[in-house]
Amino acid sequence: MVIDLLKSKLRSNSMVTFLIALNVTIWLIVTILRIFLTLFNIDIYPLLTLLELPSDTTTFIFQPWTILTYSFLHTGFFHILFNMLALHWFGHFAEEHFSSRQIIVIYLLGAIAGGILFILAFNTLPYFQTHFHTTYLLGASASVLAIVTATAFAKPSYKLRFFLLGECSLKWFAVIMVIISFLGVTGSNAGGDIAHLGGAAIGILYAYIHKLISQHRNIFTRNAKNHKATKMADFHFQRGTRDPQTHDDDVDQILDKIKRTGYASLTDDEKQRLFKP
């Protein structure tokens, strides 16, 4: 059923709505399951670690699917609320520039880039090796920020209106989000903020590549049209060009025939040649 819904959304322009619905549905399922298991004193955490992204590379090797699944999991109500509100606001802006397929590609690439940067940081930087051993990452923030930065790159002058704060260009909002994430890389949500930076970077990269491809496609299409128009012009020119001397000789012969035998003796072809400019 989910696959059929995904296919239908891919054919429409509501991929953002689908992503929000999918995230909320998964959160509700996990929340209800947590409540049910808690009633029987069963911890759901071991189950969730099969879907969350681990910082430990050995663990990740045995569950590589978590590079994507973590981006559809959320810890609590406010966690998913803010992520889905951001996805709703900026996702619909993105749909004005990107197709539904491109939206989901940006979302998934944001998750992958954020996850990779998270694993690299926790396995190479001394700070994380000292303070953390095995940390798990979850949440759609990296994917959402990828959509935000991709949209900001594509539509930098788009104006956002905030209550009591006034207007702010989308590009400056994205810059502020990136700065906030960078300032938090040694805080309590270090893993999440590092993933944000990865998502932001891939969003900008995707939008930049998309712009280059679009420009080259437009140039190619325009040149192809001009080339085709030139060919057609040459073709029509060649068809429409006549030797004036030859044309005058033909007309003189037809006029002589009229004098001798009359107009009725002309063939249809001769009549057309007589009155053809």
Side-chain angles (χ1 to χ4, degrees):
M1 185 177 72
V2 174
I3 298 299
D4 293 336
L5 180 60
L6 176 60
K7 290 180 179 179
S8 66
K9 295 301 181 182
L10 284 172
R11 291 192 293 267
S12 66
N13 292 321
S14 53
M15 180 55 65
V16 170
T17 302
F18 170 76
L19 289 172
I20 293 174
L22 181 60
N23 275 278
V24 172
T25 300
I26 293 175
W27 177 77
L28 287 174
I29 293 174
V30 171
T31 301
I32 293 172
L33 184 60
R34 178 186 287 110
I35 294 173
F36 180 79
L37 293 178
T38 301
L39 292 174
F40 292 89
N41 292 325
I42 300 175
D43 188 6
I44 194 177
Y45 183 73
L47 177 62
L48 293 181
T49 56
L50 297 176
L51 301 175
E52 298 173 355
L53 181 64
S55 62
D56 182 65
T57 54
T58 303
T59 306
F60 172 70
I61 290 174
F62 291 98
Q63 47 189 69
W65 59 85
T66 57
I67 196 70
L68 291 177
T69 56
Y70 85 90
S71 65
F72 296 96
L73 296 175
H74 294 84
T75 54
F77 174 75
F78 289 105
H79 188 201
I80 190 171
L81 175 65
F82 291 127
N83 274 342
M84 294 305 101
L85 285 177
L87 180 57
H88 172 75
W89 289 331
F90 299 103
H92 288 296
F93 295 151
E95 284 184 330
E96 296 178 7
H97 187 80
F98 300 105
S99 67
S100 292
R101 291 180 183 274
Q102 291 168 340
I103 292 294
I104 195 169
V105 167
I106 296 172
Y107 185 98
L108 296 178
L109 287 178
I112 294 173
I116 291 175
L117 189 60
F118 162 75
I119 294 175
L120 288 176
F122 272 70
N123 286 274
T124 59
L125 298 178
Y127 174 79
F128 298 110
Q129 294 176 357
T130 303
H131 292 76
F132 303 94
H133 297 288
T134 301
T135 304
Y136 287 87
L137 179 67
L138 74 160
S141 301
S143 298
V144 172
L145 197 53
I147 292 176
V148 171
T149 55
T151 308
F153 187 92
K155 306 177 69 174
S157 300
Y158 194 96
K159 298 296 183 181
L160 302 176
R161 292 179 176 83
F162 297 97
F163 181 66
L164 298 178
L165 298 178
E167 289 187 346
C168 176
S169 297
L170 182 55
K171 63 180 179 181
W172 292 117
F173 180 84
V175 169
I176 292 172
M177 293 294 294
V178 171
I179 292 175
I180 292 175
S181 296
F182 177 76
L183 294 177
V185 296
T186 56
S188 58
N189 187 34
D193 286 314
I194 290 173
H196 295 173
L197 297 178
I202 202 66
I204 295 173
L205 179 61
Y206 182 92
Y208 177 72
I209 294 175
H210 177 267
K211 182 179 180 180
L212 289 180
I213 293 175
S214 298
Q215 289 175 343
H216 285 114
R217 184 186 298 117
N218 292 337
I219 292 173
F220 175 79
T221 303
R222 183 165 59 250
N223 289 340
K225 288 182 178 178
N226 292 338
H227 180 69
K228 182 178 180 181
T230 302
K231 286 293 185 180
M232 291 299 294
D234 292 342
F235 172 74
H236 288 300
F237 174 77
Q238 292 170 1
R239 288 189 58 190
T241 300
R242 296 174 61 91
D243 184 355
Q245 183 62 43
T246 302
H247 179 65
D248 291 342
D249 292 343
D250 290 343
V251 172
D252 290 341
Q253 292 178 3
I254 294 172
L255 290 176
D256 289 340
K257 184 176 181 180
I258 293 174
K259 291 179 181 179
R260 294 193 310 270
T261 59
Y263 179 79
S265 66
L266 297 180
T267 64
D268 292 337
D269 180 62
E270 289 173 333
K271 291 177 182 179
Q272 291 179 2
R273 288 160 58 190
L274 178 63
F275 294 102
K276 188 173 183 180

